[in-house]
Amino acid sequence: MTDYLIKGASVLGGEPRDVLLREGLIADGSSSGAEVVDADGLVMLPGLVDLHTHLREPGREDAETVETGTRAAAMGGFTAVHAMANTEPVADTAGVVEQVWRLGTEAGYCDVQPVGAVTVGLAGERLAELGAMADSAARVRVFSDDGKCVSDPVLMRRALEYVKAFDGVVAQHAQEPRLTEDAQMNEGELSGRLGLRGWPAVAEESIIARDCLLAAHVGSRLHVCHVSTAGSVEIVRWAKSKGWPVTAEVCPHHLLLTDELAASYDPIFKVNPPLRSATDVEALRAGLADGTIDVVATDHAPHPHEDKDCEWQAAAFGMLGLETALSIVQTTMVDAGLLDWAGVAERMSTTPARIGRLAGQGRPLEVGEPANVVLYDPSVSRVVDASELASLSRNTPYAGMELPGRVVATFLRGRPTVLDGKLC
Amino acid sequence: MKKHLLSAADLSRDDAELVLATAEELRSLADRPIKKLPALRGRTVVNLFFEDSTRTRISFEAAAKRLSADVINFSAKGSSLSKGESLKDTALTLEAMGADAVVVRHWASGAPHLLAHAGWARSSVVNAGDGTHEHPTQALLDAFTMTRHLGSLDGRRVAIVGDVLHSRVARSNALLLTTLGAEVTLVAPPTLLPYGVEGWGVETSYDLDAVLPKADVLMMLRVQRERMNAAFFPSVREYSRRYGVDARRMATLQDHTIVMHPGPMIRGMEISADVADSERSVIVEQVTNGVAVRMAVLYLLLGGSQPAIGGDDA
Ligand SMILES: [Zn+2]
């Protein structure tokens, strides 16, 4: 195995120093024989960890596969992703989660940690065999019906209680289903004008409030997926002030884009939960800055061209995120002075790894730790070209936009998955 | 005029007044023995209907034919549940046929916008009703009908009553009538007014009786009975009692006030038969005016090379 000497990297944005990667670990001592990587001007972060990725395999290999999705992850600086359970078949058994986990291991671009479904077939009726998935080779710790909300309060309570047995967490897609039937975009003045059915903030906030109360009541870990409204931030802040075991994530697109984009009727901007108002964006940034929101998660949601090249109402929800996440966080948080690079490392690596109970990920950049690192150049900028993405799909909302930063290298346990900005 | 007519907001006051003036010229044609003009000879107008609406299709078809355009009617199956025929493939087909204008009716809000801007076709696009978004030619024919009865709409009070939430007619009328200087009041139970309607720059009211004596125009919208199943109102009877217009309510209108309805009407629900058939009712005239207004729109969008009325087709 090749050793790498990374020269002059600004570790977490600090003073430049050299870092040696040897035998899969961050090492000290002699660097003789190591391949030198010039990291002058580059920021070194621990390999990023995504709590919310849709890899689509099995079932929708026309949109993404574990291989293409993890290549996109590596290009984005990720060394681990949590693969959401809404595949076909649904990842609601030990068999399916082990299959996804094995595919990830074979692809080798990053660790693939399957998320298990909370309910059988995501149907919201009865619990899937959560324990079997936890005990499987995939060692599932995060459970989610993402795409659907576990809206039945009794079922949600039981799921929260049940996963305590193996230190699991329920990641809730907070969407009250009756309030969002056929919902198409953020409910606001614009939805009324455009004649698109509204997705009101209250449909998210009411579920989050209920779940926070349930988590407190039964003393279980709750993770709230893709918080998108100012009100949700307030509720999570309140729950945390009580000391309740609640964590929350925000997606890059909710930190940057607003519902005004729906006026184009271009479904590239159709996502669930929807793009919200500028006020919401501001509250999300503030919440991420002050730690109310614990992590950035991509909700990377690949879709084939034909599912987006149609009427808004007929189009699929979701947008790509892995390959642009760090750039969006730079522009919305770092360049805006809201977060330093150590803060980025915490919210995109350390904390998501802790929530997901991933032992070898999100570790400090210290001698003896696994060599999961990313080198990032914040000084360059690029115009996003959808055709150049590693993902199998092209549904990025940022096409044609100029974004700052570029992932120069990603190392997974000392082995480069990306070097010189190219996949290895 | 812009190249497309997708929303009533696409029309400046000058544009709207030009359409109305052109329609007025063209309407005189309706009284002549020969009803055809050569203005769009050699041009192709496609009626592309993803949602059934015989009335609207016939109106556009008559308008295009009276301008001597070639007309192709194209009905595509599909709904929000079964995506069906792709809008894109259809657009590419029409492009290959050399359509100059596409009149599109669609169940999805924004479909005409997509057709105009996705780069699939070069033709002009006329929105003939999209989802719960807009129906700009309906608003134009309504404004045309109003001006024929009331003259300038400046300062005129128009009450639009009924299911505003699901109505593309209400959206287009609110925009166009405001552009033309009228004061619009949307009247409905709170459940049937769109979220955020405060930002539309129009008045709203929950109280029909308070609005009626001041209105110059009373425009009734269709209300589907099924809405009560989704709890928009408790019953047909209660809806009619609070928001329906009958002879008693009609008696509180000013003498010159006209009553309109974009059709199809549900007599007995939002409008009683004696109101629909009264002398105030201009509902039948709306249909006639629809053809003239759509002729004007097609003529102006396609930039007819000859004057709209340059002599009868020999
Ligand atoms: Zn989700």
Side-chain angles (χ1 to χ4, degrees):
Chain A
M1 189 170 181
T2 315
D3 296 346
Y4 289 89
L5 178 65
I6 298 168
K7 284 197 78 82
S10 165
V11 177
L12 304 182
E15 285 305 305
R17 61 180 170 92
D18 298 349
V19 177
L20 179 64
L21 311 183
R22 182 196 291 146
E23 301 293 331
L25 300 175
I26 297 174
D28 55 7
S30 163
S31 60
S32 68
E35 198 163 303
V36 173
V37 177
D38 176 16
D40 186 33
L42 306 185
V43 173
M44 180 187 282
L45 302 172
L48 307 183
V49 176
D50 193 11
L51 264 179
H52 195 143
T53 314
H54 295 276
L55 292 178
R56 302 295 187 219
E57 190 175 4
R60 287 304 302 267
E61 291 83 356
D62 58 326
E64 194 83 283
T65 64
V66 170
E67 169 138 12
T68 60
T70 52
R71 287 164 74 99
M75 286 297 284
F78 291 87
T79 51
V81 298
H82 287 76
M84 275 299 174
N86 61 340
T87 48
E88 298 164 25
V90 170
D92 58 1
T93 61
V96 179
V97 294
E98 284 187 351
Q99 180 196 354
V100 172
W101 176 75
R102 208 162 31 240
L103 286 166
T105 307
E106 284 164 13
Y109 289 98
C110 72
D111 289 348
V112 173
Q113 177 56 53
V115 173
V118 175
T119 68
V120 175
L122 308 179
E125 284 164 6
R126 57 199 178 86
L127 289 183
E129 289 187 348
L130 309 179
M133 290 188 274
D135 294 342
S136 74
R139 296 179 45 79
V140 175
R141 291 295 177 271
V142 181
F143 297 89
S144 181
D145 274 1
D146 183 60
K148 298 250 180 76
C149 179
V150 183
S151 63
D152 179 333
V154 174
L155 203 54
M156 186 60 183
R157 174 197 171 141
R158 298 287 181 243
L160 284 166
E161 288 177 309
Y162 195 79
V163 300
K164 282 201 282 191
F166 30 85
D167 195 23
V169 59
V170 178
Q172 176 72 295
H173 170 116
Q175 176 179 7
E176 209 295 312
R178 287 277 287 148
L179 283 170
T180 51
E181 279 173 18
D182 197 30
Q184 299 292 320
M185 68 170 291
N186 180 42
E187 183 162 85
E189 192 192 319
L190 192 62
S191 62
R193 283 180 187 277
L194 295 178
L196 292 174
R197 190 81 66 88
W199 197 134
V202 60
E204 174 173 310
E205 294 156 6
S206 57
I207 292 290
I208 296 178
R210 180 201 75 178
D211 288 353
C212 287
L213 293 163
L214 282 174
H217 183 61
V218 301
S220 301
R221 289 204 291 146
L222 167 72
H223 178 71
V224 185
C225 294
H226 41 52
V227 163
S228 73
T229 76
S232 298
V233 177
E234 274 306 299
I235 292 164
V236 172
R237 189 174 282 132
W238 167 75
K240 287 190 164 181
S241 75
K242 303 267 191 189
W244 296 348
V246 176
T247 55
E249 74 190 28
V250 63
C251 300
H253 47 268
H254 289 127
L255 291 171
L256 182 67
L257 308 176
T258 62
D259 60 353
E260 298 287 320
L261 291 162
S264 67
Y265 288 107
D266 183 345
I268 201 81
F269 301 114
K270 181 175 175 180
V271 64
N272 193 17
L275 301 177
R276 303 285 189 184
S277 71
T279 312
D280 294 308
V281 167
E282 205 177 322
L284 293 169
R285 291 182 185 183
L288 184 62
D290 72 17
T292 301
I293 298 173
D294 302 81
V295 307
V296 174
T298 67
D299 197 2
H300 178 83
H303 290 291
H305 191 58
E306 58 272 23
D307 289 354
K308 285 290 193 180
D309 202 25
C310 59
E311 303 86 350
W312 180 284
Q313 213 178 314
F317 287 99
M319 36 183 69
L320 299 183
L322 286 168
E323 293 173 77
T324 44
L326 200 45
S327 290
I328 303 296
V329 170
Q330 183 189 341
T331 190
T332 59
M333 302 298 295
V334 180
D335 293 352
L338 293 169
L339 210 57
D340 57 15
W341 288 112
V344 172
E346 197 175 285
R347 285 157 183 75
M348 295 185 79
S349 179
T350 317
T351 309
R354 182 168 47 75
I355 293 169
R357 300 295 192 251
L358 293 185
Q361 296 281 349
R363 300 295 304 162
L365 294 171
E366 289 167 6
V367 170
E369 295 289 353
N372 296 317
V373 300
V374 53
L375 294 174
Y376 181 74
D377 185 352
S379 68
V380 296
S381 70
R382 56 169 170 159
V383 174
V384 178
D385 179 348
S387 69
E388 287 178 357
L389 298 175
S391 172
L392 192 56
S393 289
R394 296 285 168 260
N395 56 306
T396 173
Y398 311 111
M401 278 180 65
E402 186 169 339
L403 295 180
R406 186 176 78 112
V407 170
V408 176
T410 309
F411 291 87
L412 176 64
R413 285 182 286 280
R415 186 176 56 78
T417 53
V418 173
L419 260 189
D420 281 333
K422 294 185 187 65
L423 280 164
C424 299
Chain B
M1 293 271 284
K2 294 185 177 175
K3 184 185 172 191
H4 309 289
L5 179 57
L6 307 175
S7 159
D10 291 339
L11 298 166
S12 67
R13 182 159 187 164
D14 283 351
D15 290 338
E17 284 174 348
L18 177 62
V19 174
L20 300 185
T22 307
E24 186 60 49
E25 276 184 68
L26 290 165
R27 194 182 188 279
S28 62
L29 202 68
D31 307 324
R32 297 200 208 173
I34 300 166
K35 294 181 177 174
K36 242 177 159 179
L37 295 171
L40 297 182
R41 185 178 291 152
R43 305 295 198 94
T44 302
V45 174
V46 175
N47 285 320
L48 175 56
F49 277 56
F50 284 83
E51 181 183 80
D52 288 336
S53 174
T54 310
R55 315 157 53 98
T56 306
R57 184 182 55 72
I58 286 174
S59 181
F60 270 105
E61 188 172 353
K65 284 186 169 162
R66 284 183 199 176
L67 292 168
S68 304
D70 296 322
V71 178
I72 298 171
N73 288 317
F74 194 106
S75 298
K77 291 273 171 276
S79 70
S80 54
L81 296 176
S82 67
K83 215 184 338 171
E85 202 135 13
S86 130
L87 183 60
K88 181 184 182 179
D89 290 339
T90 311
L92 296 175
T93 306
L94 300 179
E95 176 74 0
M97 285 179 190
D100 296 290
V102 177
V103 173
V104 60
R105 170 75 152 230
H106 205 292
W107 45 263
S109 298
H113 194 281
L114 204 60
L115 203 56
H117 295 299
W120 300 328
R122 279 168 296 185
S123 34
S124 283
V125 176
V126 179
N127 181 357
D130 62 328
T132 54
H133 179 223
E134 285 211 44
H135 195 354
T137 60
Q138 177 71 42
L140 283 164
L141 79 86
D142 289 338
F144 182 71
T145 306
M146 289 176 210
T147 52
R148 284 178 65 90
H149 286 268
L150 303 168
S152 165
L153 298 185
D154 260 317
R156 290 294 193 178
R157 290 181 167 146
V158 181
I160 302 177
V161 185
D163 186 357
V164 177
L165 179 63
H166 301 95
S167 172
R168 46 200 174 206
V169 176
R171 279 172 180 73
S172 287
N173 265 301
L175 289 164
L176 180 70
L177 296 174
T178 306
T179 301
L180 290 170
E183 293 171 18
V184 174
T185 305
L186 303 173
V187 186
T191 45
L192 290 176
L193 285 173
Y195 184 89
V197 72
E198 312 78 43
W200 288 23
V202 298
E203 298 287 309
T204 56
S205 173
Y206 311 137
D207 182 356
L208 179 58
D209 287 315
V211 171
L212 290 177
K214 290 179 272 178
D216 298 299
V217 176
L218 177 61
M219 182 186 295
M220 304 304 295
L221 301 173
R222 184 163 66 124
V223 180
Q224 293 178 344
R225 301 176 66 90
E226 300 74 52
R227 300 290 180 210
M228 84 181 167
N229 301 331
F232 287 105
F233 49 86
S235 68
V236 169
R237 194 171 53 187
E238 174 154 327
Y239 182 86
S240 294
R241 202 181 294 138
R242 293 176 69 87
Y243 296 99
V245 173
D246 55 6
R248 180 188 66 78
R249 284 204 163 109
M250 186 166 67
T252 69
L253 295 170
Q254 302 174 72
D255 288 344
H256 66 269
T257 302
I258 56 171
V259 176
M260 311 180 75
H261 195 298
M265 277 183 284
I266 307 177
R267 290 171 191 247
M269 172 103 179
E270 70 265 9
I271 191 165
S272 69
D274 43 355
V275 176
D277 300 331
S278 74
E279 293 201 332
R280 294 174 180 283
S281 164
V282 297
I283 296 169
V284 176
E285 193 189 327
Q286 284 175 271
V287 178
T288 316
N289 292 341
V291 177
V293 162
R294 286 166 179 137
M295 286 172 79
V297 165
L298 290 172
Y299 174 74
L300 292 168
L301 283 183
L302 293 181
S305 51
Q306 307 158 49
I309 302 182
D312 293 345
D313 196 9

